Amino acid sequence: MDTAALCAAAREHREHGERRGTLHPSVWQHLSDSAIATAALPAVYGGLQSAVPQILNAVRQVAYADPSAGWAAAVHAPAGAFLSRLDEPTARTVLGGGVRPVIAGSSLPAGTIREAGGVLRLSGRWPLVTGAEHASLLALAARTPDGGSPVWFLLPRKEVTVHQDWDALGLRGSASCSVSCDTTVPAGHSVLLTGPALVDDPLYRFPLYGLMAATIATVAEAAGQRALDAFARLAPAVRPRHADGPLARLGGAQDAYAQAGAQLAAASGLLERTTAAAWSAAVDGPVGEEERARLRAACCHMAQTAESVCRTLFEAAGSAAVHRASEVEGCWRDALVISRHALVAGRGRQLAGAYLLSGTAAEDL
């Protein structure tokens, strides 16, 4: 999956995102035109229907160039799989005449759905919808009146209002704004992510919540690697006050760098192994609950480890790290925000632990 042009644009314009709170227009355009936007879209609708390892590798490349662009890629890349849950006539109606889809959404079931005059009405305000302004479809979740699993509704971008309220510590360029709507929606334009796909393929047998968590964990992994590389560039060039030599010659810095590198490598190895195990299971048939639990645990562990790695390097760099030119502080800010996402934070760990301890498997594992 070729991401060279997108990565080059993301690298060149990272500062634009930091200053403006949204990716540079050329980065959004490259992302919309790239293979990432249709990576998980079924082939019958013009998508790539890619293998999970390919999707994660593409997201990793973009995230290393700029975690904010990687975050947008991590949101858009798995979203095409939503269409695998719709029957073909409905999916083609949702896609709107063959328009290349760019799908954004919120994992929070913040909306309400009610029947009014024989039609469904969806209303609410959803936070943290990355790239909503540049998406063609929005996937917004609401709980059913009976309190069952959240149902995701697919709406055209014109049906929602985007609120320019994104001003965060990290991932500043991701434009993860709130959206709202109060509109009628066809009942058939809804997706239950925990239900079976209607397209039979390993990609759609792979747990969709697990795929979304894995793309997020991959952005965290890239942020950690960026921090290691930034520290390695900084350490020989900076001489701390009262030190006899550059930062790279100080025992404390050496210890911190080695420890951080080993921690990230270990977390990366775990993420790779659990992803490969789940993918192998999906190739052969349904993915078992143990593979799902271990995958989610590994995703959460990566997000937590990457934040710890970036923080360790920030502290080890001393006052040199406070300058934005060092890049170390930006990596930490990004990793900190990544680690707060519900799919890789406490809820994700709880789901994994519940199964591993008691055999209880939630639908969104």
Side-chain angles (χ1 to χ4, degrees):
M1 197 180 295
D2 186 8
T3 62
L6 172 56
C7 289
R11 192 178 301 110
E12 178 183 357
H13 296 296
R14 173 169 166 80
E15 186 60 22
H16 181 280
E18 288 285 297
R19 298 288 186 182
R20 306 286 184 86
T22 184
L23 299 175
H24 190 276
S26 69
V27 180
W28 285 120
Q29 190 62 54
H30 277 295
L31 181 57
S32 298
D33 294 342
S34 75
I36 285 175
T38 56
L41 185 70
V44 68
Y45 309 128
L48 294 179
Q49 201 167 307
S50 303
V52 165
Q54 289 180 305
I55 293 174
L56 297 183
N57 186 53
V59 170
R60 185 180 298 107
Q61 291 173 6
V62 179
Y64 184 79
D66 174 19
S68 286
W71 188 261
V75 169
H76 296 321
F82 285 29
L83 278 296
S84 73
R85 267 79 178 165
L86 296 176
D87 63 77
E88 187 170 341
T90 302
R92 292 194 181 280
T93 300
V94 167
L95 289 171
V99 176
R100 181 183 175 88
V102 178
I103 305 172
S106 170
S107 61
L108 184 69
T112 59
I113 188 74
R114 66 186 187 278
E115 187 174 352
V119 298
L120 295 180
R121 190 159 199 91
L122 176 68
S123 59
R125 179 165 174 151
W126 293 260
L128 307 175
V129 184
T130 299
E133 190 69 60
H134 303 272
S136 60
L137 286 174
L138 277 296
L140 303 175
R143 290 203 179 274
T144 55
D146 62 4
S149 297
V151 177
W152 299 58
F153 290 87
L154 293 165
L155 286 76
R157 162 65 183 86
K158 64 182 180 180
E159 296 291 333
V160 306
T161 299
V162 178
H163 304 276
Q164 301 296 335
D165 57 1
W166 178 245
D167 185 12
L169 179 70
L171 299 177
R172 291 186 55 79
S174 67
S176 299
C177 301
S178 299
V179 303
S180 63
C181 75
D182 184 9
T183 185
T184 57
V185 290
H189 291 196
S190 62
V191 176
L192 187 64
L193 297 193
T194 55
L198 301 181
V199 180
D200 186 27
D201 186 82
L203 174 59
Y204 309 122
R205 292 194 293 267
F206 197 92
L208 189 44
Y209 278 105
L211 176 57
M212 293 189 293
T215 59
I216 291 169
T218 297
V219 180
E221 179 184 19
Q225 188 59 55
R226 289 183 87 253
L228 283 164
D229 294 345
F231 189 89
R233 292 190 297 270
L234 181 70
V238 171
R239 181 167 181 156
R241 191 175 183 181
H242 305 307
D244 294 332
L247 182 66
R249 296 295 185 91
L250 300 185
Q254 295 165 348
D255 175 80
Y257 183 74
Q259 180 187 45
Q263 288 175 337
L264 189 68
S268 296
L270 177 63
L271 182 62
E272 182 179 3
R273 287 197 306 276
T274 55
T275 302
W279 177 246
S280 178
V283 169
D284 293 336
V287 180
E289 291 167 344
E290 182 168 353
E291 286 90 353
R292 292 170 181 248
R294 295 197 182 281
L295 172 62
R296 291 297 294 277
C299 292
C300 295
H301 179 62
M302 171 53 77
Q304 191 174 33
T305 299
E307 190 277 327
S308 176
V309 162
C310 293
R311 174 165 31 91
T312 294
L313 296 173
F314 177 81
E315 292 175 351
S319 61
V322 304
H323 299 284
R324 295 179 66 244
S326 74
E327 296 187 57
V328 177
E329 61 85 34
C331 294
W332 183 26
R333 288 188 289 104
D334 290 337
L336 191 62
V337 173
I338 294 166
S339 70
R340 268 41 179 187
H341 193 285
L343 286 174
V344 293
R347 168 67 176 166
R349 291 192 296 272
Q350 179 186 350
L351 292 178
Y355 177 77
L356 296 171
L357 278 176
S358 65
T360 303
E363 287 185 319
D364 55 337
L365 181 61

